[in-house]
């Protein structure tokens, strides 16, 4: 299947990693074939290092809003800017390298726990993988697995609970060390105590990082 979102002709890479300002300028969005616009004339500027909560009822457009930042979709109207650049004018690989995303439905791949965590950084060392897992409150349950970080992950993570999959996905995003972190209802399957510990760990890592929390 040919992706609808493609690099523009002559697309340039984003500048080197660093604090990133995200701005929505009169952004509108409607799904193809949808009955009406999901977003209309949205203006929003998020400064580097800020944490922004996106709240709203089911279907209000929260996930759609954050999905426009890494260009999972393109805005129907207006402009989304990342570090001063229109996201449609830059190379997708350079944009995705600077955005960490943890969706509500965490996606795991067949392979080992270790390889799932370092999916975005295959060259990451074991100590870095463990540090990310500890911050995501995943290290303890990984240690209890017979093979630890070498334990196999079944297709789509079927041998892990929803909360365990979410914590592995958070560890994956933290290991990437992104300039922008998007948490899309990413702790919905964990208990309150674990969620508090994860939030504390994230707070320690937010310096200079822009964070969206749905």
């Amino acid at each position: 299947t040919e992706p609808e979102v493609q690099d523009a002709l002559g697309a340039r890479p984003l500048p080197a990693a660093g604090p990133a300002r995200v701005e929505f300028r009169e952004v509108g969005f409607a799904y193809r074939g949808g009955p009406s616009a999901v977003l209309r004339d949205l203006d929003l500027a998020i400064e580097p290092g800020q944490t922004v909560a996106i709240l709203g009822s089911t279907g209000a457009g929260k996930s759609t809003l954050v999905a426009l930042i890494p260009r999972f979709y393109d805005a129907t109207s207006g402009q989304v800017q990342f570090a001063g650049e229109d996201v449609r004018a830059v190379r997708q690989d350079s944009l995705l390298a600077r955005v960490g995303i943890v969706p509500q439905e965490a996606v795991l791949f067949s392979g080992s726990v270790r390889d799932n965590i370092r999916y975005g950084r295959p060259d990451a060392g074991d100590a870095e993988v463990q540090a990310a897992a500890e911050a995501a409150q995943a290290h303890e349950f990984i240690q209890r697995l017979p093979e630890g970080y070498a334990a196999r992950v079944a297709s789509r993570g079927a041998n892990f609970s929803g909360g365990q999959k979410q914590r592995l996905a958070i560890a994956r995003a933290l290991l990437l060390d992104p300039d922008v972190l998007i948490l899309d209802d990413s702790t919905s399957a964990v208990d309150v105590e674990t969620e508090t510990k994860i939030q504390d760990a994230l707070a320690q890592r937010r310096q200079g990082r822009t964070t969206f929390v749905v």
Side-chain angles (χ1 to χ4, degrees):
T1 302
E2 189 74 16
E4 289 186 17
V5 175
Q6 297 279 351
D7 281 349
L9 187 66
R12 56 191 179 277
L14 274 169
R21 186 177 195 265
V22 177
E23 185 173 1
F24 296 81
R25 295 184 173 183
E26 299 182 355
V27 167
F29 180 81
Y31 285 100
R32 179 174 293 181
S36 60
V38 180
L39 302 172
R40 297 182 185 88
D41 299 324
L42 176 68
D43 288 296
L44 180 64
I46 302 93
E47 301 299 334
Q50 277 192 318
T51 295
V52 177
I54 310 295
L55 296 96
S57 59
T58 300
K62 305 183 299 296
S63 296
T64 301
L65 169 64
V66 295
L68 296 177
I69 300 169
R71 281 194 78 200
F72 288 171
Y73 309 104
D74 275 336
T76 308
S77 60
Q79 188 179 97
V80 180
Q81 289 195 348
F82 187 102
E85 300 278 355
D86 185 338
V87 295
R88 290 169 294 196
V90 300
R91 281 173 37 187
Q92 288 175 281
D93 58 352
S94 68
L95 176 62
L96 291 170
R98 296 182 61 180
V99 181
I101 307 160
V102 186
Q104 182 177 1
E105 295 296 328
V107 178
L108 299 184
F109 305 96
S110 300
S112 69
V113 168
R114 180 182 294 107
D115 286 343
N116 265 274
I117 293 176
R118 65 183 184 190
Y119 181 78
R121 279 189 57 206
D123 59 341
D126 289 347
E128 293 174 293
V129 170
Q130 182 175 324
E134 288 173 347
Q137 303 302 306
H139 177 66
E140 188 174 330
F141 83 76
I142 294 172
Q143 277 194 312
R144 292 198 298 266
L145 299 172
E147 296 176 89
Y149 284 85
R152 305 304 295 172
V153 177
S155 178
R156 299 186 65 84
N159 54 334
F160 290 91
S161 70
Q164 289 172 332
K165 287 192 285 187
Q166 284 188 334
R167 282 177 277 174
L168 290 173
I170 292 170
R172 177 192 294 159
L174 291 177
L175 184 63
L176 186 62
D177 193 24
D179 296 323
V180 171
L181 178 63
I182 298 172
L183 304 173
D184 189 357
D185 204 10
S186 57
T187 55
S188 59
V190 303
D191 60 85
V192 175
E193 182 181 356
T194 301
E195 181 178 13
T196 301
K197 291 179 180 178
I198 292 172
Q199 294 294 347
D200 289 344
L202 290 174
Q204 295 173 15
R205 292 165 171 251
R206 280 181 186 157
Q207 187 173 0
R209 174 181 295 145
T210 307
T211 305
F212 291 84
V213 182
V214 174

